[in-house]
């Protein structure tokens, strides 16, 4: 194996080379080597000469080990200790990233960002400092602490009559007999049902087939200085009963809502506090539910289903059915055709739309089934579901790989309409750091991503910055995101 240029005048800092002394991992014969930094360096040699032993098992492995050592004891108990490679000394090592040489990795979920694990750091960063925006209005979401709510009520609604309401039912059907009985037994006197305040009486109930909003009246008072203790107690109780959400009715007219969760003030939607999983398209907590985190969806290609509209159904005008023959699928189709008086011998292009819809979708309106095809149990006695639904079902839940491949002949791959290819659920895409969501950052090339990170610390307040759990200081007020230690560690430890 060839060795690089030696430069013994390296200093520890700003070292221009990675220097390896006495590497003996696997086949390596106690070699010394110096590798220039900021250059593309290729290690070549015949099979078995130790290329991977040097690159992966020595240099990468030692870099990884040192990186892990910078974690505090708390985080390390989850990671475990790494073994030291058989080498005397390595100097000039920077944090390392390895992209493995597996060329057969066809996982559609992988990108350079995910392969290098940079994306994992982005997830942590977003879970820690991402700011939530409403997907309904695009406005910043707000969340309140109990103290903030009390202060807000005091400054904004002094001398006004207020009612504190704990939401129990939001837009759901039911008679709620047990609920009313339960709160009556707890000693509450009034509820607000569909906007109207009522006394709670025995055997109370509402129309079980109508949609209701029910709030519990926790307290009614006129805001005055000497009632501050009572107000803060009532706010606390209301939030508890309303599961972190409370409403305020001011002078019987103005309606205000407060939430301890991230909430859109205009439309009332709320998000959970973000966890790193919420930004992972491999996790059910983060993945777009429509494409399951793939970013693309297989959709029926009608041009492949009907390739020649001058052919009749018997002649194979609906391609997935094939020509008329004694097969289960065709028998089903024939039965549906008979029932709806659809001709098997007229060219499909001449069939009325409603009739063609029956053959394609199982109904005259041409509505595609919204079934959960993946989990649907197939019922052979059910009426003909239509060729399109059949293709989707077999694609999602194929008996064999061959069946799936066959269904793919009638499909095209399109970006998922729900997430636009970003692969995450919409809530996650509305968390932003410095104006960008995590998917946008994941798609950046590394130069632009580095530029985006440069200065990100200016965006953070002191709470977000935190101090390093190990050295109890900041790296000159700067967060060195990929450098392992310093302030960034506080992110990682808290995220674990
Ligand atoms: Zn999607």
């Amino acid at each position: 194996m060839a060795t690089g240029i030696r430069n013994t005048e390296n200093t520890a800092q700003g070292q221009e080379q990675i220097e390896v002394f006495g590497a003996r991992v696997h086949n390596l014969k106690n070699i010394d080597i110096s590798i220039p930094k900021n250059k593309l360096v290729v290690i070549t040699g015949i099979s078995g000469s130790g290329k991977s032993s040097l690159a992966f098992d020595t240099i990468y492995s030692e870099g990884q080990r040192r990186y892990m050592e910078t974690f505090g004891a708390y985080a390390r108990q989850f990671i475990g200790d790494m073994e030291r490679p058989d080498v005397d000394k390595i100097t000039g090592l920077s944090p390392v990233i390895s992209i493995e040489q597996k060329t057969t990795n066809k996982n559609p979920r992988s990108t350079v960002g995910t392969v290098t694990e940079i994306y994992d750091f982005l997830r942590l960063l977003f879970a820690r400092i991402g700011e939530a925006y409403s997907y309904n209005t695009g406005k910043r979401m707000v969340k309140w602490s109990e103290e903030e709510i009390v202060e807000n009520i005091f400054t904004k609604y002094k001398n006004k009559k207020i009612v504190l309401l704990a939401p129990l039912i939001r837009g759901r059907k039911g008679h709620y007999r047990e609920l009313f009985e339960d709160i009556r037994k707890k000693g509450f006197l009034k509820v607000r049902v569909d906007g109207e305040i009522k006394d709670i009486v025995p055997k109370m109930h509402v129309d079980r087939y109508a949609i209701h909003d029910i709030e519990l009246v926790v307290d009614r008072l006129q805001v005055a200085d000497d009632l501050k203790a009572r107000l803060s107690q009532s706010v606390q109780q209301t939030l508890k009963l309303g599961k972190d959400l409370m409403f305020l009715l001011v002078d019987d007219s103005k309606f205000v809502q407060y939430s301890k969760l991230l909430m859109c003030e205009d439309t009332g939607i709320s998000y959970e506090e973000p966890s790193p999983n919420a930004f992972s398209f491999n996790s059910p907590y983060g993945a777009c539910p429509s494409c399951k985190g793939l970013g693309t969806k297989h959709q029926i290609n009608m041009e492949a289903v009907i390739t020649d509209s001058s052919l009749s159904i018997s002649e194979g005008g609906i391609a997935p059915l094939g020509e008329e023959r004694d097969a289960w699928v065709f028998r089903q189709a024939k039965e549906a055709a008979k029932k709806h008086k659809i001709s098997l011998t007229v060219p499909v292009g001449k069939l009325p739309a409603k009739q063609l819809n029956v053959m394609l979708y199982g109904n005259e309106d041409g509505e595609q089934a919204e079934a959960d095809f993946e989990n649907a149990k197939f019922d052979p006695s059910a009426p003909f579901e239509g060729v399109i639904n059949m293709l989707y079902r077999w694609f999602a839940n194929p008996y064999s790989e061959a069946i799936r491949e066959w269904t793919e002949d009638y499909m095209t791959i399109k970006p998922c309409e729900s997430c636009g290819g970003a692969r995450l659920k919409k809530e996650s895409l509305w968390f932003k750091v410095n104006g960008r969501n995590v998917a946008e950052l994941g798609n950046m090339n590394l130069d632009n991503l580095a530029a985006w990170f440069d200065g990100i610390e200016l965006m953070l307040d002191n709470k977000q910055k935190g101090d390093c759990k190990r050295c109890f200081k900041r790296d000159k007020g700067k967060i060195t995101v990929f450098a392992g230690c310093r302030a960034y560690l506080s992110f990682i430890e808290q995220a674990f």
Side-chain angles (χ1 to χ4, degrees):
M1 172 171 300
T3 52
I5 322 137
R6 293 302 301 263
N7 178 2
T8 47
E9 283 164 37
N10 274 328
T11 54
Q13 277 119 21
Q15 189 172 317
E16 300 290 323
Q17 272 92 27
I18 299 169
E19 298 205 289
V20 180
F21 300 95
R24 289 176 297 274
V25 175
H26 305 317
N27 294 343
L28 298 176
K29 302 273 187 292
N30 202 18
I31 65 158
D32 299 345
I33 186 170
S34 175
I35 297 170
K37 286 197 195 177
N38 299 316
K39 297 258 163 36
L40 180 67
V41 176
V42 179
I43 303 172
T44 65
I46 59 165
S47 172
S49 60
K51 303 180 294 292
S52 300
S53 299
L54 178 65
F56 293 112
D57 303 325
T58 307
I59 296 171
Y60 172 69
S61 176
E62 175 64 4
Q64 198 68 354
R65 194 186 66 82
R66 287 187 197 174
Y67 173 62
M68 294 304 177
E69 279 204 334
T70 64
F71 286 80
Y74 178 72
R76 260 190 296 167
Q77 67 182 335
F78 299 103
I79 304 164
D81 282 322
M82 293 182 74
E83 219 171 288
R84 210 171 182 283
D86 192 359
V87 59
D88 291 338
K89 188 168 86 171
I90 301 180
T91 63
L93 205 49
S94 313
V96 288
I97 286 170
S98 115
I99 300 171
E100 288 188 48
Q101 54 199 25
K102 281 183 231 149
T103 48
T104 50
N105 185 356
K106 271 172 65 183
N107 185 349
R109 292 172 185 273
S110 300
T111 64
V112 172
T114 59
V115 172
T116 56
E117 294 166 12
I118 288 174
Y119 193 81
D120 293 328
F121 291 101
L122 286 174
R123 294 195 294 121
L124 294 174
L125 188 70
F126 270 72
R128 184 97 171 92
I129 64 166
E131 288 171 342
Y133 292 82
S134 166
Y135 59 70
N136 282 336
T137 63
K139 283 199 221 165
R140 189 78 186 272
M141 307 274 273
V142 288
K143 68 174 177 181
W144 297 81
S145 68
E146 276 168 28
E147 298 76 41
E148 285 167 340
I149 295 172
V150 174
E151 272 316 306
N152 188 269
I153 294 174
F154 247 86
T155 46
K156 261 183 141 168
Y157 307 115
K158 201 156 217 169
N159 299 323
K160 304 225 184 258
K161 282 184 189 158
I162 58 165
V163 184
L164 273 67
L165 302 164
L168 302 179
I169 301 297
R170 301 261 274 158
R172 275 169 48 202
K173 286 182 190 174
H175 55 66
Y176 297 110
R177 218 171 254 145
E178 294 82 11
L179 178 79
F180 290 121
E181 192 55 23
D182 184 46
I183 53 183
R184 192 178 70 88
K185 281 187 180 152
K186 283 186 178 140
F188 290 99
L189 302 173
K190 286 178 189 292
V191 279
R192 186 167 176 266
V193 180
D194 302 328
E196 202 182 322
I197 293 180
K198 294 179 170 176
D199 291 324
I200 304 173
V201 294
K203 301 217 166 85
M204 187 164 181
H205 65 274
V206 288
D207 179 1
R208 69 180 292 187
Y209 300 109
I211 291 171
H212 301 289
D213 291 319
I214 301 174
E215 298 106 32
L216 185 58
V217 177
V218 179
D219 200 1
R220 301 197 289 176
L221 54 96
Q222 188 160 13
V223 182
D225 286 335
D226 56 339
L227 289 178
K228 200 159 186 177
R230 170 172 156 191
L231 181 68
S232 87
Q233 222 169 36
S234 292
V235 164
Q236 194 179 30
Q237 196 190 9
T238 312
L239 285 166
K240 202 172 153 203
L241 291 161
K243 298 199 168 69
D244 292 339
L245 183 62
M246 66 169 273
F247 301 150
L248 195 68
L249 201 57
V250 185
D251 283 346
D252 287 331
S253 55
K254 193 176 159 66
F255 190 78
V256 187
Q257 47 188 352
Y258 296 102
S259 173
K260 281 173 81 179
L261 308 171
L262 285 162
M263 197 180 82
C264 169
E265 285 189 303
D266 296 340
T267 63
I269 53 160
S270 67
Y271 299 167
E272 283 177 30
E273 283 297 309
S275 67
N277 273 348
F279 302 101
S280 166
F281 39 78
N282 287 321
S283 161
Y285 295 106
C288 164
S290 180
C291 62
K292 302 201 163 52
L294 289 172
T296 55
K297 275 186 98 168
H298 281 78
Q299 279 174 347
I300 296 291
N301 174 11
M302 282 310 286
E303 282 168 15
V305 172
I306 297 175
T307 51
D308 181 353
S309 59
S310 71
L311 297 176
S312 68
I313 294 176
S314 282
E315 292 166 330
I318 298 175
L321 284 179
E323 289 176 27
E324 184 171 359
R325 67 204 186 284
D326 190 21
W328 178 81
V329 171
F330 212 96
R331 282 201 301 275
Q332 277 249 311
K334 239 165 120 176
E335 224 169 274
K338 198 171 152 196
K339 197 172 144 203
H340 289 87
K341 303 193 172 61
I342 300 168
S343 166
L344 295 178
T345 52
V346 166
V348 289
K350 297 243 164 79
L351 288 175
K354 283 184 175 182
Q355 294 195 350
L356 194 56
N357 282 341
V358 170
M359 302 312 290
L360 295 176
Y361 300 97
N363 61 66
E364 292 188 342
D365 301 327
E367 278 168 15
Q368 197 194 303
E370 272 187 67
D372 177 4
F373 289 110
E374 214 162 311
N375 296 310
K377 280 259 181 297
F378 177 55
D379 177 5
S381 65
F384 184 58
E385 63 189 328
V387 170
I388 304 285
N389 291 326
M390 182 186 81
L391 286 170
Y392 276 125
R393 185 166 49 75
W394 283 355
F395 172 76
N397 198 356
Y399 300 111
S400 68
E401 205 42 45
I403 297 256
R404 188 194 288 269
E405 280 172 21
W406 173 77
T407 61
E408 282 180 18
D409 290 344
Y410 301 104
M411 296 189 174
T412 46
I413 300 175
K414 293 193 174 150
C416 169
E417 283 171 12
S418 294
C419 63
R423 317 210 273 179
L424 295 172
K425 65 180 182 185
K426 64 180 167 191
E427 290 87 341
S428 300
L429 292 171
W430 282 91
F431 279 89
K432 295 183 183 180
V433 174
N434 202 3
R436 300 278 192 170
N437 71 29
V438 71
E440 290 169 326
L441 297 178
N443 286 334
M444 278 185 186
N445 71 37
L446 293 179
D447 283 344
N448 290 344
L449 186 61
W452 180 87
F453 268 118
D454 213 15
I456 190 66
E457 64 275 6
L458 301 173
M459 295 291 303
L460 309 182
D461 60 32
N462 284 337
K463 199 174 131 213
Q464 289 173 321
K465 279 178 187 158
D467 293 319
C468 174
K469 287 270 187 294
R470 249 181 125 210
C471 54
F472 299 102
K473 63 185 178 202
R474 287 179 205 145
D475 186 6
K476 300 181 199 98
K478 190 177 156 144
I479 293 178
T480 315
V481 173
F482 293 118
C485 184
R486 310 292 164 84
Y488 186 53
L489 272 183
S490 64
F491 284 157
I492 294 175
E493 292 201 353
Q494 285 171 38
F496 263 107

